[in-house]
Amino acid sequence: MENTVRVTIVGIGAIGRAWTISFLRAGCEVRIWDQIESAADDAQKIIQAILPDLARNNLLNGRDPADLMRNMRSFSTLEEALDGAEYVQENTAEKVEVKQEIFSRFDQLAGSNAILVSSTSGFVPSAFTEHLGCRDRCLVAHPLNPPYLIPAVDVVPSPWTSRETLERAVAFLRLCGQIPIIMKKEDPGFITIRLQAMMYHECWRLVKSGLASPEDIDTSIREGLGLRWSFIGPFETADLNAPGGIRDFVARFGENLHDIFPTDGPIEWSGELMDQVEGYRRERLPLSQIRDRQLWRDRRLLALAAHKNAQSSLP
Ligand SMILES: NC(=O)c1ccc[n+]([C@@H]2O[C@H](COP(=O)([O-])OP(=O)(O)OC[C@H]3O[C@@H](n4cnc5c(N)ncnc54)[C@H](O)[C@@H]3O)[C@@H](O)[C@H]2O)c1
């Protein structure tokens, strides 16, 4: 696919907006449709406010924000928005019946060449594509929010996604500056969410068992593990932490790590435990300030993305 791919965004909330920026930045023509007509105007304003910041930080591929905005158009019907689309990214509500219904409409309305992709965080693609004539062209591409600053994307094929669809989707996402991480076959949780979920369980377990405060757990990631993980993964971390590499690491530390493996199943994130963790968060951040703090987080991510971008040509 070339850089002039016509993309349709269906559902233009937080994730639809963020994908739109990734696709505009790659030179795509982006067509938008949302069941709420005003959503597209709101999205346009939000995107217009973000692009200059990306340009200033060299994160817009040298493109001009005004040119990108001209490549974005909203439509009042799904049919018009899908016209000529080669790649469709669905970002509607996270309910399986909503996904089933919208993918049925894609089946009727999208061109026979279109790849049909869901941003779902939790449903495997077979849960909403089994009944479709176009099911070989459907898959999941689950972003981390926002994808224009965090490149990794979980790519998950269903049992009937064709190899060609998978290859085209991966090639297109790479063209857009994303880094696809491919689950070889569908399984709940994908890759990033599984890793995050395992970590969450341990965080809550540490609080529940009275071994650590929520604050110290946040600190251990922010000021500790997370610093390395922003440029090397856990396998490489282990490989570099022993003179003989990962085999040596396991020989030295593996037994101790085995001994702390939890055996008590998942933690219930409710009741007094929830009160304690929520109390910690609300004491530090009243809910009224959450939007400001999200914007702060995105500015920090932007600075990190700019730093990583500048370092990417180094060995
Ligand atoms: N928020 C995240 O961090 C995140 C991260 C990765 C993936 N996702 C996934 O992305 C999808 C969207 O999440 P979001 O956070 O952007 O939600 P959101 O509530 O911000 O936006 C959803 C948008 O979809 C529209 N919509 C809902 N149902 C629709 C329908 N049937 N037809 C057309 N438009 C419809 C809504 O009007 C809204 O504009 C979900 O599947 C979610 O699981 C979210």
Side-chain angles (χ1 to χ4, degrees):
M1 277 191 257
E2 292 181 11
N3 234 8
T4 49
V5 175
R6 183 180 277 194
V7 175
T8 301
I9 293 282
V10 176
I12 185 85
I15 291 302
R17 290 195 297 267
W19 272 128
T20 298
I21 293 175
S22 284
F23 298 146
L24 286 174
R25 173 171 66 184
C28 303
E29 177 194 334
V30 181
R31 300 163 77 87
I32 290 167
W33 179 77
D34 193 288
Q35 65 180 5
I36 299 174
E37 217 158 309
S38 61
D41 283 347
D42 295 344
Q44 220 139 358
K45 286 184 200 123
I46 295 171
I47 291 170
Q48 199 157 15
I50 292 172
L51 293 183
D53 237 4
L54 294 176
R56 269 193 296 280
N57 285 279
N58 205 18
L59 290 170
L60 223 45
N61 290 340
R63 294 177 197 269
D64 176 32
D67 287 343
L68 298 198
M69 291 308 292
R70 277 192 283 278
N71 279 341
M72 170 181 175
R73 284 180 66 196
S74 64
F75 293 86
S76 53
T77 67
L78 178 60
E79 187 169 6
E80 290 171 284
L82 290 173
D83 185 34
E86 290 168 72
Y87 183 96
V88 178
Q89 185 80 41
E90 173 280 324
N91 322 276
T92 61
E94 184 69 354
K95 293 202 171 102
V96 77
E97 57 280 12
V98 173
K99 308 290 190 201
Q100 283 164 348
E101 205 243 312
I102 203 85
F103 272 76
S104 297
R105 295 186 68 193
F106 295 166
D107 203 15
Q108 292 158 6
L109 300 174
S112 59
N113 188 37
I115 306 178
L116 306 163
V117 185
S118 176
S119 292
T120 178
S121 309
F123 302 116
V124 290
S126 64
F128 53 92
T129 62
E130 185 168 10
H131 60 300
L132 305 176
C134 64
R135 64 185 195 166
D136 61 312
R137 287 184 281 116
C138 300
L139 75 165
V140 164
H142 163 258
L144 281 86
N145 186 26
Y148 60 86
L149 294 177
I150 305 183
V153 179
D154 283 307
V155 172
V156 187
S158 73
W160 37 79
T161 304
S162 71
R163 176 175 284 274
E164 188 207 343
T165 299
L166 181 62
E167 286 171 358
R168 280 179 66 205
V170 164
F172 173 66
L173 288 166
R174 289 206 176 111
L175 186 78
C176 296
Q178 307 298 149
I179 302 180
I181 43 175
I182 303 165
M183 202 167 209
K184 293 181 179 166
K185 59 179 189 163
E186 67 172 33
D187 210 51
F190 318 148
I191 297 173
T192 56
I193 292 182
R194 276 180 172 233
L195 293 173
Q196 187 165 258
M198 291 309 112
M199 170 78 78
Y200 279 165
H201 276 294
E202 194 52 30
C203 294
W204 290 82
R205 189 189 318 278
L206 280 166
V207 176
K208 187 175 181 190
S209 55
L211 291 169
S213 67
E215 183 160 22
D216 276 349
I217 292 165
D218 269 353
T219 304
S220 76
I221 301 298
R222 191 185 63 242
E223 306 297 337
L225 295 170
L227 294 179
R228 277 195 301 238
W229 285 349
S230 75
F231 60 97
I232 52 174
F235 287 130
E236 188 170 357
T237 299
D239 200 40
L240 299 182
N241 268 356
I246 192 156
R247 191 178 289 276
D248 185 20
F249 177 88
V250 171
R252 288 168 189 243
F253 310 115
E255 205 174 319
N256 286 349
L257 294 177
H258 267 268
D259 288 349
I260 53 175
F261 191 81
T263 51
D264 54 350
I267 295 290
E268 284 301 325
W269 303 341
S270 57
E272 281 177 23
L273 182 59
M274 173 55 83
D275 293 344
Q276 185 185 352
V277 174
E278 188 185 33
Y280 149 68
R281 284 307 306 152
R282 293 292 70 83
E283 200 179 291
R284 277 150 192 82
L285 186 76
L287 269 186
S288 58
Q289 291 171 21
I290 210 151
R291 182 65 195 137
D292 286 347
R293 188 72 175 169
Q294 287 168 341
L295 294 171
W296 168 87
R297 174 203 62 194
D298 288 353
R299 284 196 303 277
R300 295 294 302 262
L301 271 174
L302 188 148
L304 183 60
H307 166 75
K308 288 185 66 127
N309 210 25
Q311 303 293 309
S312 63
S313 56
L314 299 179

PDB file of all heavy atoms in Angstrom, residues 14-43:
ATOM      1  N   ALA A  14     -11.901   8.976  22.136  1.00  0.00           N
ATOM      2  CA  ALA A  14     -10.479   9.122  22.469  1.00  0.00           C
ATOM      3  C   ALA A  14      -9.584   8.330  21.503  1.00  0.00           C
ATOM      4  O   ALA A  14      -8.587   8.852  20.986  1.00  0.00           O
ATOM      5  CB  ALA A  14     -10.251   8.643  23.905  1.00  0.00           C
ATOM      6  N   ILE A  15      -9.939   7.072  21.241  1.00  0.00           N
ATOM      7  CA  ILE A  15      -9.057   6.225  20.424  1.00  0.00           C
ATOM      8  C   ILE A  15      -9.205   6.550  18.936  1.00  0.00           C
ATOM      9  O   ILE A  15      -8.212   6.603  18.195  1.00  0.00           O
ATOM     10  CB  ILE A  15      -9.348   4.738  20.717  1.00  0.00           C
ATOM     11  CG1 ILE A  15      -8.889   4.411  22.148  1.00  0.00           C
ATOM     12  CG2 ILE A  15      -8.680   3.807  19.729  1.00  0.00           C
ATOM     13  CD1 ILE A  15      -7.427   4.672  22.426  1.00  0.00           C
ATOM     14  N   GLY A  16     -10.418   6.801  18.495  1.00  0.00           N
ATOM     15  CA  GLY A  16     -10.609   7.190  17.091  1.00  0.00           C
ATOM     16  C   GLY A  16      -9.815   8.446  16.761  1.00  0.00           C
ATOM     17  O   GLY A  16      -9.165   8.537  15.709  1.00  0.00           O
ATOM     18  N   ARG A  17      -9.823   9.411  17.661  1.00  0.00           N
ATOM     19  CA  ARG A  17      -9.068  10.662  17.440  1.00  0.00           C
ATOM     20  C   ARG A  17      -7.573  10.374  17.356  1.00  0.00           C
ATOM     21  O   ARG A  17      -6.862  10.902  16.513  1.00  0.00           O
ATOM     22  CB  ARG A  17      -9.298  11.640  18.597  1.00  0.00           C
ATOM     23  CG  ARG A  17     -10.666  12.231  18.677  1.00  0.00           C
ATOM     24  CD  ARG A  17     -10.687  13.428  19.613  1.00  0.00           C
ATOM     25  NE  ARG A  17     -10.360  13.122  20.988  1.00  0.00           N
ATOM     26  CZ  ARG A  17     -11.258  12.827  21.943  1.00  0.00           C
ATOM     27  NH1 ARG A  17     -12.534  12.781  21.647  1.00  0.00           N
ATOM     28  NH2 ARG A  17     -10.869  12.581  23.180  1.00  0.00           N
ATOM     29  N   ALA A  18      -7.113   9.540  18.277  1.00  0.00           N
ATOM     30  CA  ALA A  18      -5.677   9.280  18.336  1.00  0.00           C
ATOM     31  C   ALA A  18      -5.204   8.520  17.088  1.00  0.00           C
ATOM     32  O   ALA A  18      -4.162   8.838  16.512  1.00  0.00           O
ATOM     33  CB  ALA A  18      -5.353   8.492  19.604  1.00  0.00           C
ATOM     34  N   TRP A  19      -6.007   7.534  16.648  1.00  0.00           N
ATOM     35  CA  TRP A  19      -5.656   6.839  15.401  1.00  0.00           C
ATOM     36  C   TRP A  19      -5.648   7.818  14.235  1.00  0.00           C
ATOM     37  O   TRP A  19      -4.812   7.720  13.331  1.00  0.00           O
ATOM     38  CB  TRP A  19      -6.676   5.744  15.102  1.00  0.00           C
ATOM     39  CG  TRP A  19      -6.429   4.389  15.683  1.00  0.00           C
ATOM     40  CD1 TRP A  19      -7.309   3.657  16.425  1.00  0.00           C
ATOM     41  CD2 TRP A  19      -5.266   3.552  15.534  1.00  0.00           C
ATOM     42  NE1 TRP A  19      -6.763   2.434  16.747  1.00  0.00           N
ATOM     43  CE2 TRP A  19      -5.511   2.342  16.205  1.00  0.00           C
ATOM     44  CE3 TRP A  19      -4.039   3.724  14.884  1.00  0.00           C
ATOM     45  CZ2 TRP A  19      -4.580   1.297  16.257  1.00  0.00           C
ATOM     46  CZ3 TRP A  19      -3.113   2.693  14.946  1.00  0.00           C
ATOM     47  CH2 TRP A  19      -3.381   1.502  15.619  1.00  0.00           C
ATOM     48  N   THR A  20      -6.618   8.726  14.225  1.00  0.00           N
ATOM     49  CA  THR A  20      -6.699   9.696  13.117  1.00  0.00           C
ATOM     50  C   THR A  20      -5.376  10.448  12.993  1.00  0.00           C
ATOM     51  O   THR A  20      -4.860  10.649  11.887  1.00  0.00           O
ATOM     52  CB  THR A  20      -7.867  10.681  13.367  1.00  0.00           C
ATOM     53  OG1 THR A  20      -9.072   9.923  13.403  1.00  0.00           O
ATOM     54  CG2 THR A  20      -7.973  11.726  12.281  1.00  0.00           C
ATOM     55  N   ILE A  21      -4.802  10.839  14.124  1.00  0.00           N
ATOM     56  CA  ILE A  21      -3.517  11.553  14.075  1.00  0.00           C
ATOM     57  C   ILE A  21      -2.432  10.661  13.473  1.00  0.00           C
ATOM     58  O   ILE A  21      -1.673  11.090  12.603  1.00  0.00           O
ATOM     59  CB  ILE A  21      -3.131  12.053  15.486  1.00  0.00           C
ATOM     60  CG1 ILE A  21      -4.128  13.124  15.928  1.00  0.00           C
ATOM     61  CG2 ILE A  21      -1.695  12.581  15.503  1.00  0.00           C
ATOM     62  CD1 ILE A  21      -3.938  13.618  17.349  1.00  0.00           C
ATOM     63  N   SER A  22      -2.361   9.393  13.896  1.00  0.00           N
ATOM     64  CA  SER A  22      -1.355   8.483  13.327  1.00  0.00           C
ATOM     65  C   SER A  22      -1.511   8.378  11.810  1.00  0.00           C
ATOM     66  O   SER A  22      -0.532   8.409  11.066  1.00  0.00           O
ATOM     67  CB  SER A  22      -1.516   7.066  13.906  1.00  0.00           C
ATOM     68  OG  SER A  22      -1.021   6.991  15.196  1.00  0.00           O
ATOM     69  N   PHE A  23      -2.761   8.236  11.356  1.00  0.00           N
ATOM     70  CA  PHE A  23      -2.989   8.002   9.931  1.00  0.00           C
ATOM     71  C   PHE A  23      -2.770   9.288   9.120  1.00  0.00           C
ATOM     72  O   PHE A  23      -2.216   9.249   8.019  1.00  0.00           O
ATOM     73  CB  PHE A  23      -4.403   7.445   9.705  1.00  0.00           C
ATOM     74  CG  PHE A  23      -4.632   6.101  10.384  1.00  0.00           C
ATOM     75  CD1 PHE A  23      -5.877   5.758  10.919  1.00  0.00           C
ATOM     76  CD2 PHE A  23      -3.608   5.173  10.496  1.00  0.00           C
ATOM     77  CE1 PHE A  23      -6.082   4.536  11.542  1.00  0.00           C
ATOM     78  CE2 PHE A  23      -3.805   3.943  11.122  1.00  0.00           C
ATOM     79  CZ  PHE A  23      -5.038   3.624  11.650  1.00  0.00           C
ATOM     80  N   LEU A  24      -3.177  10.430   9.672  1.00  0.00           N
ATOM     81  CA  LEU A  24      -2.934  11.701   8.962  1.00  0.00           C
ATOM     82  C   LEU A  24      -1.433  11.932   8.826  1.00  0.00           C
ATOM     83  O   LEU A  24      -0.938  12.326   7.770  1.00  0.00           O
ATOM     84  CB  LEU A  24      -3.555  12.872   9.732  1.00  0.00           C
ATOM     85  CG  LEU A  24      -5.076  13.017   9.697  1.00  0.00           C
ATOM     86  CD1 LEU A  24      -5.513  14.133  10.636  1.00  0.00           C
ATOM     87  CD2 LEU A  24      -5.581  13.299   8.276  1.00  0.00           C
ATOM     88  N   ARG A  25      -0.723  11.688   9.897  1.00  0.00           N
ATOM     89  CA  ARG A  25       0.727  11.910   9.912  1.00  0.00           C
ATOM     90  C   ARG A  25       1.430  11.061   8.849  1.00  0.00           C
ATOM     91  O   ARG A  25       2.453  11.454   8.297  1.00  0.00           O
ATOM     92  CB  ARG A  25       1.252  11.579  11.315  1.00  0.00           C
ATOM     93  CG  ARG A  25       2.744  11.595  11.432  1.00  0.00           C
ATOM     94  CD  ARG A  25       3.172  11.486  12.853  1.00  0.00           C
ATOM     95  NE  ARG A  25       2.830  10.214  13.459  1.00  0.00           N
ATOM     96  CZ  ARG A  25       3.032   9.909  14.738  1.00  0.00           C
ATOM     97  NH1 ARG A  25       3.559  10.797  15.547  1.00  0.00           N
ATOM     98  NH2 ARG A  25       2.715   8.737  15.218  1.00  0.00           N
ATOM     99  N   ALA A  26       0.856   9.897   8.547  1.00  0.00           N
ATOM    100  CA  ALA A  26       1.450   9.009   7.532  1.00  0.00           C
ATOM    101  C   ALA A  26       1.049   9.419   6.121  1.00  0.00           C
ATOM    102  O   ALA A  26       1.444   8.770   5.157  1.00  0.00           O
ATOM    103  CB  ALA A  26       1.024   7.571   7.798  1.00  0.00           C
ATOM    104  N   GLY A  27       0.235  10.462   6.000  1.00  0.00           N
ATOM    105  CA  GLY A  27      -0.148  10.928   4.667  1.00  0.00           C
ATOM    106  C   GLY A  27      -1.463  10.360   4.166  1.00  0.00           C
ATOM    107  O   GLY A  27      -1.819  10.557   3.003  1.00  0.00           O
ATOM    108  N   CYS A  28      -2.178   9.639   5.021  1.00  0.00           N
ATOM    109  CA  CYS A  28      -3.443   9.027   4.583  1.00  0.00           C
ATOM    110  C   CYS A  28      -4.556  10.062   4.474  1.00  0.00           C
ATOM    111  O   CYS A  28      -4.534  11.092   5.146  1.00  0.00           O
ATOM    112  CB  CYS A  28      -3.907   7.959   5.578  1.00  0.00           C
ATOM    113  SG  CYS A  28      -2.723   6.663   5.856  1.00  0.00           S
ATOM    114  N   GLU A  29      -5.544   9.710   3.666  1.00  0.00           N
ATOM    115  CA  GLU A  29      -6.792  10.475   3.637  1.00  0.00           C
ATOM    116  C   GLU A  29      -7.711   9.812   4.661  1.00  0.00           C
ATOM    117  O   GLU A  29      -7.954   8.600   4.580  1.00  0.00           O
ATOM    118  CB  GLU A  29      -7.387  10.370   2.231  1.00  0.00           C
ATOM    119  CG  GLU A  29      -8.702  11.055   2.085  1.00  0.00           C
ATOM    120  CD  GLU A  29      -9.398  10.629   0.783  1.00  0.00           C
ATOM    121  OE1 GLU A  29      -8.721  10.239  -0.184  1.00  0.00           O
ATOM    122  OE2 GLU A  29     -10.644  10.685   0.785  1.00  0.00           O
ATOM    123  N   VAL A  30      -8.190  10.560   5.641  1.00  0.00           N
ATOM    124  CA  VAL A  30      -8.963   9.940   6.727  1.00  0.00           C
ATOM    125  C   VAL A  30     -10.415  10.396   6.674  1.00  0.00           C
ATOM    126  O   VAL A  30     -10.708  11.588   6.708  1.00  0.00           O
ATOM    127  CB  VAL A  30      -8.337  10.271   8.103  1.00  0.00           C
ATOM    128  CG1 VAL A  30      -9.134   9.605   9.220  1.00  0.00           C
ATOM    129  CG2 VAL A  30      -6.884   9.818   8.163  1.00  0.00           C
ATOM    130  N   ARG A  31     -11.312   9.427   6.574  1.00  0.00           N
ATOM    131  CA  ARG A  31     -12.743   9.701   6.530  1.00  0.00           C
ATOM    132  C   ARG A  31     -13.338   9.233   7.858  1.00  0.00           C
ATOM    133  O   ARG A  31     -13.002   8.151   8.353  1.00  0.00           O
ATOM    134  CB  ARG A  31     -13.387   8.946   5.360  1.00  0.00           C
ATOM    135  CG  ARG A  31     -12.794   9.355   4.023  1.00  0.00           C
ATOM    136  CD  ARG A  31     -13.113   8.366   2.936  1.00  0.00           C
ATOM    137  NE  ARG A  31     -14.486   8.485   2.421  1.00  0.00           N
ATOM    138  CZ  ARG A  31     -14.857   9.284   1.458  1.00  0.00           C
ATOM    139  NH1 ARG A  31     -13.986  10.080   0.871  1.00  0.00           N
ATOM    140  NH2 ARG A  31     -16.111   9.317   1.047  1.00  0.00           N
ATOM    141  N   ILE A  32     -14.236  10.061   8.408  1.00  0.00           N
ATOM    142  CA  ILE A  32     -14.702   9.805   9.775  1.00  0.00           C
ATOM    143  C   ILE A  32     -16.205   9.647   9.812  1.00  0.00           C
ATOM    144  O   ILE A  32     -16.935  10.397   9.157  1.00  0.00           O
ATOM    145  CB  ILE A  32     -14.312  11.014  10.651  1.00  0.00           C
ATOM    146  CG1 ILE A  32     -12.807  11.038  10.839  1.00  0.00           C
ATOM    147  CG2 ILE A  32     -14.997  10.991  11.993  1.00  0.00           C
ATOM    148  CD1 ILE A  32     -12.344  12.348  11.401  1.00  0.00           C
ATOM    149  N   TRP A  33     -16.626   8.686  10.636  1.00  0.00           N
ATOM    150  CA  TRP A  33     -18.066   8.610  10.924  1.00  0.00           C
ATOM    151  C   TRP A  33     -18.254   8.183  12.372  1.00  0.00           C
ATOM    152  O   TRP A  33     -17.537   7.319  12.887  1.00  0.00           O
ATOM    153  CB  TRP A  33     -18.778   7.609  10.015  1.00  0.00           C
ATOM    154  CG  TRP A  33     -20.241   7.535  10.343  1.00  0.00           C
ATOM    155  CD1 TRP A  33     -21.209   8.436  10.004  1.00  0.00           C
ATOM    156  CD2 TRP A  33     -20.883   6.520  11.121  1.00  0.00           C
ATOM    157  NE1 TRP A  33     -22.420   8.041  10.515  1.00  0.00           N
ATOM    158  CE2 TRP A  33     -22.256   6.866  11.197  1.00  0.00           C
ATOM    159  CE3 TRP A  33     -20.453   5.358  11.750  1.00  0.00           C
ATOM    160  CZ2 TRP A  33     -23.181   6.100  11.892  1.00  0.00           C
ATOM    161  CZ3 TRP A  33     -21.379   4.594  12.441  1.00  0.00           C
ATOM    162  CH2 TRP A  33     -22.737   4.966  12.509  1.00  0.00           C
ATOM    163  N   ASP A  34     -19.236   8.847  13.038  1.00  0.00           N
ATOM    164  CA  ASP A  34     -19.589   8.496  14.421  1.00  0.00           C
ATOM    165  C   ASP A  34     -21.105   8.579  14.509  1.00  0.00           C
ATOM    166  O   ASP A  34     -21.728   9.370  13.799  1.00  0.00           O
ATOM    167  CB  ASP A  34     -18.951   9.498  15.391  1.00  0.00           C
ATOM    168  CG  ASP A  34     -18.994   9.037  16.842  1.00  0.00           C
ATOM    169  OD1 ASP A  34     -20.105   9.040  17.444  1.00  0.00           O
ATOM    170  OD2 ASP A  34     -17.930   8.684  17.381  1.00  0.00           O
ATOM    171  N   GLN A  35     -21.684   7.776  15.388  1.00  0.00           N
ATOM    172  CA  GLN A  35     -23.156   7.820  15.496  1.00  0.00           C
ATOM    173  C   GLN A  35     -23.633   9.172  16.057  1.00  0.00           C
ATOM    174  O   GLN A  35     -24.770   9.568  15.838  1.00  0.00           O
ATOM    175  CB  GLN A  35     -23.667   6.671  16.369  1.00  0.00           C
ATOM    176  CG  GLN A  35     -23.238   6.756  17.816  1.00  0.00           C
ATOM    177  CD  GLN A  35     -23.770   5.606  18.653  1.00  0.00           C
ATOM    178  OE1 GLN A  35     -24.382   4.690  18.135  1.00  0.00           O
ATOM    179  NE2 GLN A  35     -23.544   5.657  19.947  1.00  0.00           N
ATOM    180  N   ILE A  36     -22.768   9.867  16.769  1.00  0.00           N
ATOM    181  CA  ILE A  36     -23.114  11.210  17.260  1.00  0.00           C
ATOM    182  C   ILE A  36     -22.506  12.219  16.289  1.00  0.00           C
ATOM    183  O   ILE A  36     -21.271  12.269  16.127  1.00  0.00           O
ATOM    184  CB  ILE A  36     -22.553  11.442  18.684  1.00  0.00           C
ATOM    185  CG1 ILE A  36     -23.164  10.418  19.624  1.00  0.00           C
ATOM    186  CG2 ILE A  36     -22.811  12.865  19.161  1.00  0.00           C
ATOM    187  CD1 ILE A  36     -22.584  10.445  21.011  1.00  0.00           C
ATOM    188  N   GLU A  37     -23.365  13.017  15.647  1.00  0.00           N
ATOM    189  CA  GLU A  37     -22.847  13.864  14.576  1.00  0.00           C
ATOM    190  C   GLU A  37     -21.834  14.892  15.071  1.00  0.00           C
ATOM    191  O   GLU A  37     -20.834  15.164  14.404  1.00  0.00           O
ATOM    192  CB  GLU A  37     -24.004  14.547  13.841  1.00  0.00           C
ATOM    193  CG  GLU A  37     -23.718  14.641  12.355  1.00  0.00           C
ATOM    194  CD  GLU A  37     -24.989  14.811  11.538  1.00  0.00           C
ATOM    195  OE1 GLU A  37     -25.938  14.028  11.707  1.00  0.00           O
ATOM    196  OE2 GLU A  37     -25.009  15.753  10.750  1.00  0.00           O
ATOM    197  N   SER A  38     -22.056  15.429  16.285  1.00  0.00           N
ATOM    198  CA  SER A  38     -21.150  16.484  16.782  1.00  0.00           C
ATOM    199  C   SER A  38     -19.766  15.935  17.142  1.00  0.00           C
ATOM    200  O   SER A  38     -18.814  16.695  17.312  1.00  0.00           O
ATOM    201  CB  SER A  38     -21.770  17.157  18.007  1.00  0.00           C
ATOM    202  OG  SER A  38     -21.947  16.169  19.014  1.00  0.00           O
ATOM    203  N   ALA A  39     -19.649  14.614  17.258  1.00  0.00           N
ATOM    204  CA  ALA A  39     -18.364  14.041  17.694  1.00  0.00           C
ATOM    205  C   ALA A  39     -17.239  14.387  16.723  1.00  0.00           C
ATOM    206  O   ALA A  39     -16.094  14.622  17.129  1.00  0.00           O
ATOM    207  CB  ALA A  39     -18.490  12.521  17.852  1.00  0.00           C
ATOM    208  N   ALA A  40     -17.562  14.433  15.427  1.00  0.00           N
ATOM    209  CA  ALA A  40     -16.517  14.709  14.435  1.00  0.00           C
ATOM    210  C   ALA A  40     -15.990  16.133  14.586  1.00  0.00           C
ATOM    211  O   ALA A  40     -14.784  16.371  14.491  1.00  0.00           O
ATOM    212  CB  ALA A  40     -17.054  14.475  13.037  1.00  0.00           C
ATOM    213  N   ASP A  41     -16.908  17.095  14.836  1.00  0.00           N
ATOM    214  CA  ASP A  41     -16.458  18.490  15.021  1.00  0.00           C
ATOM    215  C   ASP A  41     -15.592  18.610  16.264  1.00  0.00           C
ATOM    216  O   ASP A  41     -14.552  19.267  16.257  1.00  0.00           O
ATOM    217  CB  ASP A  41     -17.675  19.423  15.199  1.00  0.00           C
ATOM    218  CG  ASP A  41     -18.334  19.685  13.863  1.00  0.00           C
ATOM    219  OD1 ASP A  41     -17.705  19.368  12.837  1.00  0.00           O
ATOM    220  OD2 ASP A  41     -19.476  20.181  13.865  1.00  0.00           O
ATOM    221  N   ASP A  42     -16.038  17.952  17.334  1.00  0.00           N
ATOM    222  CA  ASP A  42     -15.241  17.997  18.574  1.00  0.00           C
ATOM    223  C   ASP A  42     -13.855  17.417  18.307  1.00  0.00           C
ATOM    224  O   ASP A  42     -12.834  17.969  18.735  1.00  0.00           O
ATOM    225  CB  ASP A  42     -15.919  17.182  19.689  1.00  0.00           C
ATOM    226  CG  ASP A  42     -17.253  17.783  20.095  1.00  0.00           C
ATOM    227  OD1 ASP A  42     -17.495  18.963  19.755  1.00  0.00           O
ATOM    228  OD2 ASP A  42     -18.056  17.064  20.728  1.00  0.00           O
ATOM    229  N   ALA A  43     -13.835  16.284  17.584  1.00  0.00           N
ATOM    230  CA  ALA A  43     -12.551  15.625  17.312  1.00  0.00           C
ATOM    231  C   ALA A  43     -11.647  16.534  16.492  1.00  0.00           C
ATOM    232  O   ALA A  43     -10.443  16.642  16.755  1.00  0.00           O
ATOM    233  CB  ALA A  43     -12.797  14.316  16.564  1.00  0.00           C
TER     234      ALA A  43
END
